[in-house]
Coordinates of all heavy atoms in Angstrom, one line a residue:
M1 N 17.6 -50.1 43.0 CA 17.8 -48.9 43.6 C 16.7 -48.5 44.5 O 15.5 -48.5 44.1 CB 18.0 -47.8 42.5 CG 18.4 -46.5 43.1 SD 18.7 -45.4 41.7 CE 18.8 -43.9 42.5
E2 N 17.0 -48.3 45.8 CA 15.9 -48.0 46.8 C 15.7 -46.5 46.9 O 16.6 -45.7 46.9 CB 16.3 -48.5 48.2 CG 15.1 -48.5 49.1 CD 15.4 -49.3 50.4 OE1 16.3 -50.2 50.3 OE2 14.8 -49.0 51.4
T3 N 14.4 -46.1 46.9 CA 14.1 -44.7 47.0 C 14.1 -44.3 48.4 O 14.0 -45.1 49.4 CB 12.8 -44.4 46.3 OG1 11.8 -45.1 47.1 CG2 12.7 -44.9 44.9
V4 N 14.0 -43.0 48.6 CA 14.0 -42.4 50.0 C 12.6 -42.8 50.6 O 12.6 -43.1 51.8 CB 14.1 -40.9 49.9 CG1 13.9 -40.2 51.3 CG2 15.5 -40.5 49.4
A5 N 11.6 -42.9 49.8 CA 10.3 -43.2 50.4 C 10.3 -44.7 50.9 O 9.7 -45.0 51.9 CB 9.2 -43.1 49.3
G6 N 11.1 -45.6 50.3 CA 11.3 -46.9 50.8 C 12.0 -47.0 52.1 O 11.6 -47.8 53.0
E7 N 13.0 -46.2 52.3 CA 13.7 -46.1 53.6 C 12.8 -45.6 54.7 O 12.8 -46.1 55.8 CB 14.9 -45.2 53.4 CG 16.0 -45.8 52.6 CD 17.2 -44.9 52.3 OE1 17.2 -43.9 53.0 OE2 18.0 -45.2 51.5
G8 N 12.0 -44.6 54.4 CA 11.1 -44.0 55.3 C 10.0 -45.0 55.7 O 9.6 -45.0 56.9
T9 N 9.6 -45.8 54.8 CA 8.6 -46.8 55.1 C 9.1 -47.8 56.0 O 8.4 -48.3 56.9 CB 8.1 -47.4 53.8 OG1 7.6 -46.4 52.9 CG2 7.0 -48.4 54.0
S10 N 10.3 -48.3 55.8 CA 10.9 -49.3 56.7 C 11.1 -48.8 58.1 O 11.0 -49.5 59.0 CB 12.2 -49.9 56.1 OG 13.2 -48.8 56.0
I11 N 11.5 -47.5 58.2 CA 11.6 -46.9 59.5 C 10.3 -46.8 60.2 O 10.1 -47.1 61.4 CB 12.3 -45.5 59.4 CG1 13.7 -45.6 59.0 CG2 12.2 -44.8 60.8 CD1 14.4 -44.3 58.7
L12 N 9.2 -46.5 59.5 CA 7.9 -46.4 60.0 C 7.4 -47.8 60.5 O 6.8 -47.9 61.6 CB 6.9 -45.8 59.0 CG 5.5 -45.7 59.4 CD1 5.3 -44.7 60.6 CD2 4.6 -45.2 58.3
V13 N 7.7 -48.8 59.7 CA 7.3 -50.2 60.1 C 8.0 -50.6 61.3 O 7.4 -51.2 62.2 CB 7.6 -51.1 58.9 CG1 7.4 -52.6 59.4 CG2 6.6 -50.9 57.7
A14 N 9.3 -50.3 61.5 CA 10.1 -50.6 62.6 C 9.5 -49.9 63.9 O 9.4 -50.5 64.9 CB 11.5 -50.2 62.5
I15 N 9.1 -48.7 63.8 CA 8.5 -47.9 64.9 C 7.2 -48.5 65.3 O 6.9 -48.7 66.5 CB 8.4 -46.4 64.5 CG1 9.7 -45.8 64.5 CG2 7.5 -45.7 65.6 CD1 9.7 -44.4 63.9
I16 N 6.4 -48.9 64.3 CA 5.1 -49.6 64.6 C 5.3 -50.9 65.3 O 4.6 -51.2 66.3 CB 4.3 -49.7 63.3 CG1 3.8 -48.4 62.8 CG2 3.1 -50.7 63.5 CD1 3.2 -48.4 61.4
I17 N 6.3 -51.7 64.9 CA 6.6 -52.9 65.5 C 7.1 -52.7 67.0 O 6.6 -53.4 67.9 CB 7.6 -53.7 64.7 CG1 7.0 -54.2 63.4 CG2 8.2 -54.9 65.5 CD1 8.0 -54.8 62.4
W18 N 7.9 -51.7 67.2 CA 8.3 -51.3 68.6 C 7.1 -51.0 69.4 O 7.0 -51.4 70.6 CB 9.3 -50.1 68.5 CG 10.7 -50.5 68.4 CD1 11.3 -51.2 67.4 CD2 11.7 -50.1 69.4 NE1 12.6 -51.2 67.7 CE2 12.9 -50.6 68.9 CE3 11.7 -49.4 70.6 CZ2 14.1 -50.5 69.6 CZ3 12.9 -49.3 71.2 CH2 14.1 -49.8 70.8
I19 N 6.2 -50.3 68.9 CA 5.0 -49.9 69.7 C 4.1 -51.1 70.0 O 3.6 -51.3 71.1 CB 4.2 -48.8 68.9 CG1 5.0 -47.5 68.9 CG2 2.8 -48.6 69.6 CD1 4.4 -46.4 68.0
I20 N 4.0 -52.0 69.0 CA 3.2 -53.2 69.2 C 3.8 -54.1 70.3 O 3.2 -54.5 71.2 CB 2.9 -53.9 67.9 CG1 2.0 -53.1 67.0 CG2 2.3 -55.3 68.2 CD1 1.9 -53.6 65.6
V21 N 5.1 -54.4 70.1 CA 5.8 -55.2 71.1 C 5.8 -54.5 72.4 O 5.6 -55.2 73.5 CB 7.3 -55.5 70.6 CG1 8.1 -56.1 71.7 CG2 7.3 -56.4 69.3
G22 N 6.1 -53.3 72.5 CA 6.1 -52.5 73.8 C 4.7 -52.6 74.4 O 4.6 -52.7 75.6
G23 N 3.7 -52.4 73.6 CA 2.3 -52.5 74.2 C 2.0 -53.8 74.8 O 1.5 -53.9 75.9
I24 N 2.3 -54.9 74.0 CA 2.1 -56.2 74.6 C 2.9 -56.5 75.8 O 2.4 -57.0 76.8 CB 2.4 -57.3 73.5 CG1 1.4 -57.1 72.3 CG2 2.3 -58.7 74.0 CD1 1.7 -57.9 71.1
A25 N 4.2 -56.1 75.8 CA 5.1 -56.3 76.9 C 4.6 -55.5 78.1 O 4.6 -56.0 79.3 CB 6.5 -56.0 76.6
G26 N 4.2 -54.3 77.9 CA 3.7 -53.4 79.0 C 2.4 -54.0 79.7 O 2.3 -54.0 80.9
V27 N 1.5 -54.5 78.8 CA 0.3 -55.1 79.4 C 0.6 -56.4 80.2 O 0.1 -56.6 81.3 CB -0.7 -55.4 78.3 CG1 -1.9 -56.2 78.7 CG2 -1.2 -54.1 77.7
I28 N 1.5 -57.2 79.7 CA 1.9 -58.4 80.4 C 2.6 -58.0 81.7 O 2.2 -58.6 82.8 CB 2.9 -59.2 79.5 CG1 2.1 -59.8 78.3 CG2 3.5 -60.3 80.4 CD1 3.1 -60.5 77.3
A29 N 3.4 -57.0 81.7 CA 4.1 -56.6 82.9 C 3.1 -56.1 83.9 O 3.2 -56.4 85.1 CB 5.2 -55.6 82.6
A30 N 2.1 -55.3 83.5 CA 1.1 -54.7 84.4 C 0.3 -55.8 85.0 O -0.1 -55.7 86.2 CB 0.3 -53.7 83.7
M31 N 0.0 -56.9 84.2 CA -0.7 -58.0 84.8 C 0.1 -58.8 85.8 O -0.5 -59.3 86.8 CB -1.2 -59.0 83.7 CG -2.3 -58.3 82.8 SD -3.1 -59.4 81.6 CE -1.8 -60.2 80.8
V32 N 1.4 -59.0 85.6 CA 2.2 -59.7 86.5 C 2.5 -59.0 87.8 O 2.4 -59.5 88.8 CB 3.6 -60.1 85.8 CG1 4.6 -60.6 86.8 CG2 3.4 -61.0 84.6
V33 N 2.8 -57.7 87.7 CA 3.0 -56.9 88.8 C 1.7 -56.1 89.1 O 1.5 -55.0 88.7 CB 4.2 -55.9 88.6 CG1 4.5 -55.1 89.9 CG2 5.4 -56.7 88.2
R34 N 0.8 -56.7 89.8 CA -0.5 -56.1 90.1 C -0.4 -54.8 90.9 O 0.5 -54.7 91.7 CB -1.4 -57.1 90.8 CG -1.6 -58.3 90.0 CD -2.9 -59.0 90.4 NE -3.1 -60.1 89.5 CZ -4.1 -60.2 88.7 NH1 -5.0 -59.2 88.6 NH2 -4.3 -61.2 87.9
G35 N -1.3 -53.9 90.6 CA -1.4 -52.6 91.3 C -0.3 -51.6 90.9 O -0.2 -50.6 91.6
A36 N 0.4 -51.9 89.8 CA 1.5 -50.9 89.4 C 1.3 -50.5 88.0 O 2.3 -49.9 87.4 CB 2.8 -51.6 89.7
G37 N 0.2 -50.7 87.3 CA 0.0 -50.3 86.0 C -0.1 -48.8 85.8 O -0.4 -48.1 86.8
F38 N 0.1 -48.3 84.6 CA 0.1 -46.9 84.4 C -0.9 -46.5 83.3 O -0.8 -45.5 82.6 CB 1.4 -46.4 84.0 CG 2.4 -46.4 85.1 CD1 3.3 -47.5 85.2 CD2 2.4 -45.5 86.2 CE1 4.2 -47.5 86.3 CE2 3.3 -45.6 87.2 CZ 4.2 -46.6 87.3
G39 N -1.9 -47.4 83.1 CA -2.9 -47.1 82.0 C -2.3 -47.6 80.7 O -1.1 -48.0 80.6
L40 N -3.1 -47.6 79.6 CA -2.7 -48.1 78.3 C -1.4 -47.4 77.8 O -0.5 -48.1 77.4 CB -3.8 -48.1 77.3 CG -3.6 -48.7 76.0 CD1 -3.2 -50.1 76.1 CD2 -4.7 -48.5 75.1
V41 N -1.5 -46.1 77.7 CA -0.3 -45.4 77.1 C 0.9 -45.6 78.0 O 2.0 -45.8 77.5 CB -0.7 -43.9 77.0 CG1 0.6 -43.1 76.5 CG2 -1.8 -43.7 76.0
G42 N 0.7 -45.5 79.3 CA 1.9 -45.7 80.2 C 2.4 -47.1 80.1 O 3.7 -47.3 80.2
D43 N 1.6 -48.1 79.9 CA 2.0 -49.5 79.8 C 2.8 -49.7 78.5 O 3.8 -50.4 78.5 CB 0.9 -50.5 79.9 CG 0.3 -50.6 81.3 OD1 0.9 -50.1 82.2 OD2 -0.8 -51.1 81.4
V44 N 2.4 -49.0 77.4 CA 3.1 -49.1 76.2 C 4.5 -48.5 76.3 O 5.5 -49.1 75.9 CB 2.3 -48.4 75.0 CG1 3.2 -48.3 73.8 CG2 1.1 -49.2 74.7
I45 N 4.6 -47.3 76.9 CA 5.9 -46.7 77.2 C 6.7 -47.5 78.1 O 7.9 -47.7 77.8 CB 5.6 -45.2 77.8 CG1 5.0 -44.3 76.7 CG2 7.0 -44.6 78.2 CD1 4.5 -43.0 77.2
L46 N 6.1 -48.1 79.1 CA 6.9 -49.0 80.0 C 7.4 -50.2 79.3 O 8.5 -50.6 79.5 CB 5.9 -49.4 81.1 CG 6.5 -50.4 82.1 CD1 7.5 -49.7 83.0 CD2 5.4 -51.1 82.9
G47 N 6.6 -50.7 78.4 CA 7.1 -51.9 77.6 C 8.2 -51.5 76.7 O 9.2 -52.3 76.5
I48 N 8.2 -50.4 76.1 CA 9.3 -49.9 75.2 C 10.5 -49.7 76.0 O 11.6 -50.1 75.6 CB 8.9 -48.6 74.4 CG1 7.8 -49.0 73.4 CG2 10.1 -48.1 73.7 CD1 7.2 -47.8 72.8
I49 N 10.4 -49.1 77.2 CA 11.6 -48.9 78.1 C 12.1 -50.3 78.5 O 13.3 -50.5 78.6 CB 11.2 -48.0 79.3 CG1 10.9 -46.6 78.9 CG2 12.3 -48.1 80.4 CD1 10.3 -45.7 79.9
G50 N 11.2 -51.2 78.8 CA 11.5 -52.6 79.2 C 12.3 -53.3 78.1 O 13.3 -54.0 78.4
A51 N 11.9 -53.1 76.9 CA 12.6 -53.7 75.7 C 14.0 -53.1 75.6 O 15.0 -53.9 75.4 CB 11.8 -53.4 74.4
V52 N 14.2 -51.8 75.9 CA 15.5 -51.2 75.9 C 16.4 -51.8 77.0 O 17.5 -52.2 76.8 CB 15.4 -49.7 75.9 CG1 16.8 -49.1 76.1 CG2 14.8 -49.1 74.7
V53 N 15.8 -51.9 78.2 CA 16.5 -52.4 79.3 C 16.9 -53.9 79.1 O 18.1 -54.3 79.3 CB 15.6 -52.3 80.6 CG1 16.2 -53.2 81.8 CG2 15.5 -50.9 81.0
A54 N 16.0 -54.7 78.6 CA 16.3 -56.1 78.3 C 17.3 -56.2 77.2 O 18.2 -57.1 77.2 CB 15.0 -56.9 77.9
G55 N 17.2 -55.4 76.2 CA 18.2 -55.4 75.1 C 19.6 -55.0 75.5 O 20.6 -55.4 74.9
W56 N 19.7 -54.2 76.6 CA 21.0 -53.8 77.1 C 21.5 -54.9 78.1 O 22.6 -55.3 78.1 CB 20.9 -52.5 77.8 CG 22.1 -52.1 78.6 CD1 23.3 -51.7 78.1 CD2 22.2 -52.1 80.0 NE1 24.2 -51.4 79.2 CE2 23.5 -51.7 80.3 CE3 21.3 -52.5 81.0 CZ2 23.9 -51.6 81.7 CZ3 21.8 -52.4 82.3 CH2 23.1 -52.0 82.6
L57 N 20.6 -55.3 79.0 CA 21.0 -56.2 80.2 C 21.2 -57.6 79.8 O 22.2 -58.2 80.2 CB 19.9 -56.1 81.2 CG 20.1 -56.8 82.5 CD1 21.4 -56.2 83.2 CD2 18.9 -56.7 83.4
F58 N 20.3 -58.2 78.9 CA 20.4 -59.6 78.6 C 21.7 -60.0 78.0 O 22.3 -61.0 78.4 CB 19.2 -60.1 77.8 CG 17.9 -60.2 78.6 CD1 17.9 -59.8 79.9 CD2 16.8 -60.7 78.0 CE1 16.7 -60.0 80.6 CE2 15.6 -60.8 78.7 CZ 15.6 -60.5 80.0
P59 N 22.2 -59.3 77.0 CA 23.5 -59.7 76.4 C 24.7 -59.6 77.4 O 25.6 -60.4 77.4 CB 23.7 -58.6 75.3 CG 22.4 -58.2 74.9 CD 21.6 -58.2 76.2
L60 N 24.6 -58.6 78.3 CA 25.6 -58.5 79.4 C 25.6 -59.8 80.3 O 26.7 -60.2 80.8 CB 25.4 -57.3 80.2 CG 25.7 -55.9 79.6 CD1 25.3 -54.8 80.6 CD2 27.1 -55.8 79.2
L61 N 24.5 -60.3 80.5 CA 24.3 -61.5 81.3 C 24.5 -62.8 80.5 O 24.4 -63.9 81.1 CB 23.0 -61.5 82.1 CG 22.7 -60.3 83.0 CD1 21.3 -60.3 83.5 CD2 23.7 -60.3 84.1
G62 N 24.6 -62.7 79.2 CA 24.7 -63.9 78.4 C 23.4 -64.6 78.1 O 23.4 -65.8 77.8
I63 N 22.3 -63.9 78.3 CA 21.0 -64.5 78.1 C 20.5 -64.2 76.7 O 20.5 -63.0 76.2 CB 20.0 -63.9 79.1 CG1 20.4 -64.2 80.5 CG2 18.6 -64.4 78.8 CD1 19.6 -63.5 81.6
S64 N 20.0 -65.2 76.0 CA 19.4 -65.1 74.7 C 18.1 -65.8 74.6 O 18.1 -67.0 74.9 CB 20.4 -65.6 73.6 OG 19.8 -65.6 72.3
L65 N 17.1 -65.1 74.3 CA 15.8 -65.8 74.2 C 15.4 -66.1 72.7 O 14.3 -66.4 72.4 CB 14.7 -64.8 74.8 CG 14.9 -64.5 76.3 CD1 13.8 -63.6 76.7 CD2 14.8 -65.8 77.1
G66 N 16.4 -66.0 71.8 CA 16.1 -66.3 70.4 C 15.6 -65.1 69.7 O 15.3 -64.0 70.3
G67 N 15.5 -65.2 68.4 CA 15.0 -64.1 67.6 C 13.5 -64.2 67.4 O 12.8 -65.0 67.9
G68 N 13.0 -63.4 66.5 CA 11.6 -63.4 66.2 C 10.8 -62.5 67.2 O 11.3 -62.0 68.2
I69 N 9.5 -62.4 66.8 CA 8.6 -61.5 67.5 C 8.3 -62.1 68.9 O 8.2 -61.3 69.9 CB 7.3 -61.3 66.7 CG1 6.6 -60.1 67.3 CG2 6.5 -62.5 66.6 CD1 7.1 -58.8 66.9
I70 N 8.2 -63.4 69.1 CA 7.9 -64.0 70.4 C 9.1 -63.7 71.4 O 8.8 -63.4 72.5 CB 7.6 -65.5 70.3 CG1 6.4 -65.7 69.3 CG2 7.4 -66.1 71.6 CD1 5.1 -65.1 69.8
G71 N 10.3 -64.0 70.9 CA 11.5 -63.7 71.8 C 11.5 -62.2 72.1 O 11.9 -61.9 73.3
A72 N 11.2 -61.3 71.2 CA 11.2 -59.9 71.5 C 10.2 -59.5 72.5 O 10.4 -58.7 73.4 CB 11.0 -59.1 70.2
I73 N 9.0 -60.1 72.4 CA 7.9 -59.8 73.4 C 8.3 -60.3 74.8 O 8.1 -59.7 75.8 CB 6.6 -60.4 72.9 CG1 6.1 -59.6 71.7 CG2 5.5 -60.4 74.0 CD1 4.9 -60.3 71.0
I74 N 8.8 -61.6 74.8 CA 9.2 -62.1 76.1 C 10.3 -61.3 76.8 O 10.2 -61.0 78.0 CB 9.6 -63.6 76.0 CG1 8.4 -64.5 75.6 CG2 10.2 -64.2 77.3 CD1 8.7 -65.9 75.2
S75 N 11.3 -61.0 76.0 CA 12.4 -60.2 76.6 C 12.0 -58.8 77.0 O 12.3 -58.3 78.1 CB 13.6 -60.1 75.7 OG 13.3 -59.4 74.5
A76 N 11.1 -58.2 76.2 CA 10.6 -56.9 76.5 C 9.7 -56.9 77.8 O 9.7 -56.0 78.6 CB 9.8 -56.3 75.4
A77 N 8.9 -58.0 77.9 CA 8.0 -58.1 79.1 C 8.9 -58.3 80.3 O 8.6 -57.7 81.4 CB 7.1 -59.3 78.9
I78 N 9.9 -59.1 80.2 CA 10.8 -59.3 81.4 C 11.5 -58.0 81.8 O 11.5 -57.6 82.9 CB 11.9 -60.4 81.1 CG1 11.2 -61.8 81.0 CG2 12.9 -60.4 82.2 CD1 12.1 -62.9 80.5
G79 N 11.9 -57.2 80.8 CA 12.5 -55.9 81.0 C 11.5 -55.0 81.6 O 11.8 -54.2 82.5
A80 N 10.3 -55.0 81.1 CA 9.2 -54.1 81.6 C 8.9 -54.5 83.1 O 8.6 -53.6 83.9 CB 8.0 -54.2 80.8
I81 N 8.9 -55.8 83.4 CA 8.6 -56.2 84.8 C 9.7 -55.7 85.7 O 9.4 -55.2 86.8 CB 8.5 -57.8 84.8 CG1 7.2 -58.2 84.2 CG2 8.5 -58.2 86.3 CD1 7.1 -59.7 83.9
I82 N 10.9 -55.8 85.2 CA 12.1 -55.3 86.0 C 11.9 -53.8 86.3 O 12.0 -53.3 87.4 CB 13.4 -55.5 85.3 CG1 13.7 -57.0 85.3 CG2 14.6 -54.8 86.0 CD1 14.9 -57.4 84.5
V83 N 11.6 -53.0 85.2 CA 11.4 -51.6 85.4 C 10.2 -51.3 86.3 O 10.3 -50.4 87.1 CB 11.2 -50.9 84.0 CG1 10.8 -49.5 84.1 CG2 12.5 -51.0 83.1
L84 N 9.1 -52.0 86.1 CA 7.9 -51.8 86.9 C 8.2 -52.1 88.4 O 7.7 -51.3 89.3 CB 6.8 -52.6 86.4 CG 5.4 -52.3 86.9 CD1 5.0 -50.9 86.6 CD2 4.4 -53.2 86.2
L85 N 8.9 -53.1 88.7 CA 9.3 -53.4 90.1 C 10.2 -52.3 90.7 O 10.0 -52.0 91.9 CB 10.0 -54.8 90.2 CG 9.1 -56.0 90.0 CD1 9.9 -57.3 89.9 CD2 8.0 -56.1 91.0
I86 N 11.1 -51.8 89.9 CA 11.9 -50.7 90.4 C 11.1 -49.5 90.7 O 11.3 -48.8 91.7 CB 13.1 -50.4 89.4 CG1 14.1 -51.6 89.4 CG2 13.8 -49.1 89.7 CD1 15.1 -51.5 88.3
V87 N 10.2 -49.1 89.8 CA 9.3 -48.0 90.0 C 8.4 -48.2 91.2 O 8.2 -47.3 92.0 CB 8.4 -47.7 88.7 CG1 7.4 -46.7 89.0 CG2 9.3 -47.3 87.6
K88 N 7.9 -49.4 91.4 CA 7.1 -49.7 92.5 C 7.9 -49.6 93.8 O 7.4 -49.0 94.8 CB 6.5 -51.1 92.4 CG 5.4 -51.4 93.3 CD 4.7 -52.7 93.0 CE 3.6 -53.0 93.9 NZ 2.9 -54.3 93.6
L89 N 9.1 -50.0 93.9 CA 10.0 -49.9 95.0 C 10.3 -48.4 95.3 O 10.3 -48.0 96.5 CB 11.3 -50.6 94.9 CG 11.2 -52.1 95.0 CD1 12.5 -52.8 94.6 CD2 10.8 -52.5 96.4
I90 N 10.5 -47.6 94.3 CA 10.8 -46.2 94.5 C 9.5 -45.5 95.0 O 9.7 -44.6 95.9 CB 11.3 -45.5 93.2 CG1 12.7 -46.1 92.8 CG2 11.3 -44.0 93.3 CD1 13.2 -45.7 91.5
K91 N 8.4 -45.8 94.5 CA 7.1 -45.2 95.0 C 6.9 -45.5 96.5 O 6.4 -44.6 97.2 CB 5.9 -45.7 94.2 CG 5.7 -45.1 92.9 CD 4.5 -45.7 92.3 CE 3.7 -44.7 91.5 NZ 2.5 -45.2 90.9
R92 N 7.3 -46.6 97.0 CA 7.1 -47.0 98.4 C 8.0 -46.2 99.3 O 7.8 -46.0 100.5 CB 7.3 -48.5 98.6 CG 6.1 -49.3 98.1 CD 6.3 -50.7 98.5 NE 5.2 -51.5 98.0 CZ 5.0 -52.7 98.2 NH1 5.8 -53.4 99.1 NH2 4.0 -53.4 97.7
A93 N 9.2 -45.9 98.8 CA 10.2 -45.2 99.6 C 9.9 -43.8 100.0 O 9.0 -43.2 99.6 CB 11.6 -45.2 98.9

């Protein structure tokens, strides 16, 4: 029998993993797309948004990078690069 504290702990761990993956992906995206970084906090947020974009877009395109943390970081980084390029294009307009 799982307690409520156990469920809360698993949600907290999932949120921490999202932040770590998003942070790594955001930093990678900022290094790839030079001159478009938003600082550490902005890059983490960008990475999380990129993970959501990749999680939505890749299955529609039939793309699978595999499971695990490495696949999550790669797909989130690709999604963050896409988001960063879009933001960079909008800033120029």
